[in-house]
Amino acid sequence: MNRAALETWIGTHYGVQADHPWMRSPTYAVFRHADNQKWFAVIMDIPQARLGLPGEEMCSVVNLKCDPLLIGSLRCEAGFFPAYHMNKANWITVLLNETVPDEPLAMLVDMSFQATQAKKRPQKRK
C-alpha cells in the first residue's frame, strides 16, 4: 500500500482525517482517536538514509504502535524498521513502497488503533 492509499483506507475504516501538527513538516500526517487524542498512526516522508537504506531519496513511512513481542519478529522482515522518532520498544516504522502486503499492514494499523484507544472502565453494579 502506498501513502495515498493508506491515508484513504484509514479515513474510510476509522472515520478520522489526518492532522498536520507541524508547520516545519507539513507532509507529516497524524491520525488520532477523537475521544482521547492519542496517535495510532503517523505518516511521514523521510530520507531513506534515516532508515539505514542507501541514498538520500525521500520515502514514505508509517509509524504504528505495536506489541513489543511482535516488533522483534517484524524487524527481521523486509519493509520494517526500528521506529523513526518514536519509542522503539512500542512503535515500529513500516515502509510504504508496497514491500509490505496490504493485509498485514492493515492488521498492524488495526492493532495500533486498538492499543491506543481509550480504556473502557467497568460498569458499576447496582
Side-chain angles (χ1 to χ4, degrees), residues 3-63:
R3 178 189 177 125
L6 181 60
E7 287 185 7
T8 299
W9 185 85
I10 289 173
T12 301
H13 196 75
Y14 300 105
V16 297
Q17 297 302 311
D19 180 19
H20 301 275
W22 300 289
M23 289 178 61
R24 294 183 77 194
S25 302
T27 63
Y28 285 22
V30 174
F31 292 89
R32 61 179 88 217
H33 293 272
D35 58 353
N36 65 8
Q37 296 299 300
K38 286 189 178 182
W39 303 0
F40 64 91
V42 182
I43 299 176
M44 303 169 280
D45 294 324
I46 61 172
Q48 290 180 168
R50 300 266 172 96
L51 299 175
L53 298 172
E56 285 297 321
E57 296 86 26
M58 298 298 280
C59 64
S60 294
V61 298
V62 61
N63 280 353

Side-chain angles (χ1 to χ4, degrees), residues 20-108:
H20 301 275
W22 300 289
M23 289 178 61
R24 294 183 77 194
S25 302
T27 63
Y28 285 22
V30 174
F31 292 89
R32 61 179 88 217
H33 293 272
D35 58 353
N36 65 8
Q37 296 299 300
K38 286 189 178 182
W39 303 0
F40 64 91
V42 182
I43 299 176
M44 303 169 280
D45 294 324
I46 61 172
Q48 290 180 168
R50 300 266 172 96
L51 299 175
L53 298 172
E56 285 297 321
E57 296 86 26
M58 298 298 280
C59 64
S60 294
V61 298
V62 61
N63 280 353
L64 301 168
K65 189 155 190 180
C66 189
D67 183 324
L69 297 174
L70 187 56
I71 288 174
S73 299
L74 289 173
R75 285 181 26 195
C76 295
E77 295 184 28
F80 294 96
F81 299 89
Y84 177 73
H85 271 294
M86 299 289 271
N87 180 320
K88 290 165 182 35
N90 296 301
W91 290 78
I92 193 160
T93 294
V94 183
L95 192 57
L96 296 176
N97 68 351
E98 300 181 7
T99 299
V100 177
D102 292 357
E103 203 169 304
L105 179 56
M107 179 195 71
L108 289 169

